[in-house]
Amino acid sequence: MQSAVSVKDLKIAYGDHTVIEKLSIDIAPREFLVLLGPSGCGKSTLLNAIAGLQDITDGEMWISGKNVTWDEPKDRGIGMVFQSYALYPRMTVRKNLSFGLRVAGLPKTEIEARIARTASLLHLDKLLERRPSELSGGQRQRVAIGRALVREVDVFLFDEPLSNLDAKLRNELRVEIKKLHQSLGNTMIYVTHDQVEALTLADRIAIMKDGVIQQLATPSEIYHHPANLFVAGFIGAPAMNFIEGRIAVETSTPIFEGDGLQIDLSGYPFLTSIKAGPATLGIRPEHLAPDGAARGWPTILGTVSVVEPMGADTVIWFDWGGETFSCRTMGDAAFTPGSRITAGLDSAKISLFDAHGARL
Ligand SMILES: Nc1ncnc2c1ncn2[C@@H]1O[C@H](COP(=O)(O)OP(=O)(O)O)[C@@H](O)[C@H]1O
Ligand SMILES: [Mg+2]
């Protein structure tokens, strides 16, 4: 199948400062791909390079089977939405939506039809005669999205479109963007530093650090089988707990040993990839149970520092071996600061990393 977007051996450098070394990625038609990573890792640079807004040092860009490396942004068949809405303040919503189409010389009836379709999709019908100053932040961002949609192209690029909105609006608009993708069925490449947006929106997430894709996989794969310590620590809130130690394979069952803790690894799903030596064990807060002893799991005995009720569940923070751990339990929990906790590790759910941080 032909890719909707192909980035081939992309290199971007400012003088001798290389931001992206040699990056390749293929994005399938109709795919919702999220570029996720901390601020400064090169997400916007990559997106702008796809859009043609960024000079590239080396490599090629293909969109819908066509080499667009040297094409102007307007000729690449893309629509782009930025974090800053960048609406024309003196124009009504209708004029903001139609401006690009009028410049491109589309017939009036076609422009009107496209505005009607877009306004209805984004619930802007009643706002068409208002100016941006008469809209809320969420409404302005809808108009900004609408301005990309009216172009009716196959590929949409979003650069942190929800970052300027408050939490409630952000959640609402996130759901709308997902609906939009389900109904339009076009290719979307969406940049964010917010892991919740990435996990909820993406078909696949490309998680980046220092201009390098660390893992490209489905949200579930990235969450449950992070490729390295960076991905493991970046995805999940509270973050995955880590225990330093070593893997011993002297006996018939491999064992993880750390700080007096011994865990039988015979249930580890990737047993054949295990080798002896220094290792880090990772366990997500929901796979550490405050009643783990009752289930016969390996346990760590800690002292509770903070209890955070979240409504549906509770996060219990505790100290063990000089480190802070978090465990998540359904409903309310009968713990108070200072009380002892026997947290059990679900050894079927652990992740193991070698001395270089790569997943075993
Ligand atoms: N004009 C520039 N000159 C030099 N370095 C730049 C320039 N623009 C961006 N950078 C660097 O490129 C890196 C990636 O930036 P960016 O793509 O904006 O990151 P992100 O969108 O992931 O936050 C950063 O380290 C930034 O400092
Ligand atoms: Mg950015």
Side-chain angles (χ1 to χ4, degrees):
M1 186 175 52
Q2 183 183 69
S3 297
V5 177
S6 274
V7 180
K8 300 184 184 186
D9 297 329
L10 176 69
K11 178 176 174 176
I12 294 174
Y14 298 101
D16 53 9
H17 173 52
T18 302
V19 177
I20 291 174
E21 179 66 59
K22 195 171 193 197
L23 187 149
S24 297
I25 186 170
D26 288 318
I27 297 142
R30 311 174 73 90
E31 180 166 22
F32 199 128
L33 181 96
V34 172
L35 296 171
L36 174 69
S39 178
C41 73
K43 306 181 294 295
S44 295
T45 305
L46 173 55
L47 200 72
N48 290 337
I50 295 170
L53 300 167
Q54 162 87 47
D55 284 337
I56 70 174
T57 312
D58 206 358
E60 286 180 7
M61 205 63 69
W62 291 65
I63 297 178
S64 305
K66 181 166 165 260
N67 186 344
V68 298
T69 312
W70 311 109
D71 290 0
E72 293 291 318
K74 65 174 174 47
D75 301 325
R76 292 192 177 201
I78 48 136
M80 186 143 174
V81 182
F82 299 93
Q83 177 177 350
S84 60
Y85 323 121
L87 302 178
Y88 303 108
R90 292 176 189 284
M91 294 184 193
T92 60
V93 169
R94 184 188 298 281
K95 288 257 164 61
N96 265 284
L97 292 175
S98 64
F99 185 73
L101 305 180
R102 282 182 282 139
V103 170
L106 258 71
K108 200 159 175 269
T109 48
E110 174 64 17
I111 294 177
E112 276 166 13
R114 287 195 190 186
I115 289 180
R117 275 198 293 274
T118 301
S120 134
L121 261 173
L122 291 167
H123 315 296
L124 292 170
D125 322 63
K126 296 205 170 63
L127 306 174
L128 285 173
E129 307 315 323
R130 291 201 199 167
R131 285 172 214 283
S133 61
E134 297 161 337
L135 301 175
S136 70
Q139 291 167 336
R140 283 179 209 171
Q141 194 52 298
R142 271 177 225 271
V143 178
I145 294 172
R147 231 172 21 177
L149 289 192
V150 289
R151 305 198 55 212
E152 302 198 344
V153 289
D154 293 334
V155 180
F156 287 112
L157 310 178
F158 292 84
D159 194 349
E160 312 234 14
L162 307 183
S163 295
N164 286 348
L165 303 175
D166 64 50
K168 184 167 179 287
L169 262 179
R170 205 155 60 219
N171 291 345
E172 286 173 8
L173 219 49
R174 195 179 73 212
V175 175
E176 302 258 338
I177 288 177
K178 187 149 182 162
K179 276 194 206 154
L180 206 57
H181 177 248
Q182 286 164 359
S183 61
L184 295 175
N186 42 19
T187 310
M188 293 196 177
I189 308 180
Y190 186 104
V191 162
T192 182
H193 65 274
D194 181 327
Q195 51 155 323
V196 176
E197 276 178 29
L199 290 168
T200 51
L201 288 172
D203 292 320
R204 284 190 307 167
I205 299 172
I207 178 162
M208 291 176 71
K209 181 190 171 215
D210 300 335
V212 177
I213 295 177
Q214 305 288 308
Q215 187 169 8
L216 171 63
T218 62
S220 163
E221 180 68 12
I222 284 194
Y223 188 80
H224 295 291
H225 300 136
N228 58 38
L229 274 176
F230 171 79
V231 176
F234 193 82
I235 292 271
M240 186 181 269
N241 301 289
F242 296 114
I243 303 172
E244 302 291 333
R246 62 184 296 276
I247 292 171
V249 294
E250 285 94 51
T251 57
S252 56
T253 31
I255 286 176
F256 177 85
E257 304 171 331
D259 231 340
L261 182 75
Q262 288 216 329
I263 296 174
D264 177 340
L265 296 178
S266 50
Y268 190 66
F270 309 96
L271 201 59
T272 49
S273 63
I274 281 181
K275 44 187 187 297
T280 302
L281 180 149
I283 180 111
R284 295 226 175 260
E286 62 270 30
H287 301 138
L288 260 181
D291 61 347
R295 307 185 196 195
W297 290 352
T299 55
I300 54 183
L301 184 63
T303 306
V304 174
S305 55
V306 172
V307 179
E308 290 185 309
M310 306 261 191
D313 52 16
T314 302
V315 175
I316 304 164
W317 295 87
F318 63 95
D319 298 318
W320 176 72
E323 305 276 343
T324 301
F325 288 78
S326 63
C327 101
R328 187 194 285 279
T329 182
M330 293 302 285
D332 299 319
F335 285 93
T336 50
S339 60
R340 302 291 275 166
I341 179 170
T342 307
L345 282 87
D346 184 350
S347 56
K349 300 281 171 57
I350 60 174
S351 289
L352 292 168
F353 303 95
D354 69 15
H356 307 289
R359 183 187 188 82
L360 289 168

